[in-house]
Amino acid sequence: FPVTIYRGTISSQVSANTTSGFSIVTYTAQSSGTGTVGHGLGVAPDLIITKPRANAYGWTSYHSSLGNTKYIELNTTSAATTLSTAWNNTSPTSSVFTSGSAFAGNGTYVAYCFSAVSGFSAFGSYTGNGSADGPMIYTGFRPRFLMAKRTDAAGYDWVMTDSSRSSLPVR
């Protein structure tokens, strides 16, 4: 069951599993300006996927490798976009993330927050080399799910694969 967290300037309802580095957060965005939202992980999230519940706005996402001045949308083929008002140029902390003025007045949100857990999950970036077998990316464990997106150019789909339906290219 979710619990209400009063960390930050916006109260949030959080269901968190710190062992697996995942929390589901619901909150009502600030009416104007910026706000901070408690996420319940106890460590800074590496990935935050947000979505307003009552309108057609996209799945605006923060990724630690993009930094706090950019966002990427889960539902588009767009490149990462620079927008200081998304995260207010503020990286998440061990207790809160920033809801920038770009989110103000948009009602209730859901946020899925993820943090890396050694031997269980990893979040990062790599630079492709144009080769069919690409660069080797060390995670420290054998991944069962992989999600990737080219961030420097538009028109590229998100790629998702898992070990149940396909063979992940893991060495």
Side-chain angles (χ1 to χ4, degrees):
F1 294 100
V3 297
T4 301
I5 295 179
Y6 296 100
R7 292 201 172 111
T9 60
I10 300 170
S11 66
S12 56
Q13 292 68 49
V14 178
S15 293
N17 183 328
T18 57
T19 303
S20 63
F22 176 63
S23 68
I24 302 171
V25 180
T26 57
Y27 62 97
T28 300
Q30 68 281 6
S31 59
S32 64
T34 64
T36 54
V37 180
H39 54 69
L41 290 176
V43 297
D46 296 297
L47 173 66
I48 303 170
I49 301 169
T50 66
K51 174 78 171 93
R53 295 177 121 183
N55 61 40
Y57 291 122
W59 292 84
T60 306
S61 304
Y62 163 88
H63 193 284
S64 56
S65 68
L66 294 175
N68 59 32
T69 62
K70 294 184 179 184
Y71 72 91
I72 193 159
E73 288 188 309
L74 192 61
N75 58 305
T76 73
T77 60
S78 299
T81 302
T82 299
L83 181 67
S84 63
T85 59
W87 316 113
N88 197 40
N89 294 343
T90 307
S91 297
T93 69
S94 61
S95 58
V96 297
F97 66 89
T98 298
S99 174
S101 60
F103 301 115
N106 287 326
T108 303
Y109 276 79
V110 62
Y112 301 99
C113 302
F114 299 86
S115 62
V117 174
S118 181
F120 181 75
S121 62
F123 301 87
S125 64
Y126 72 95
T127 301
N129 62 11
S131 175
D133 64 353
M136 195 293 214
I137 301 149
Y138 182 75
T139 62
F141 60 95
R142 186 179 189 108
R144 295 187 57 143
F145 173 77
L146 174 71
M147 183 167 81
K149 169 75 172 89
R150 183 169 178 176
T151 62
D152 65 346
Y156 294 90
D157 289 323
W158 286 84
V159 176
M160 290 186 247
T161 187
D162 66 78
S163 61
S164 294
R165 286 179 278 276
S166 64
S167 176
L168 285 172
V170 178
R171 294 177 209 152

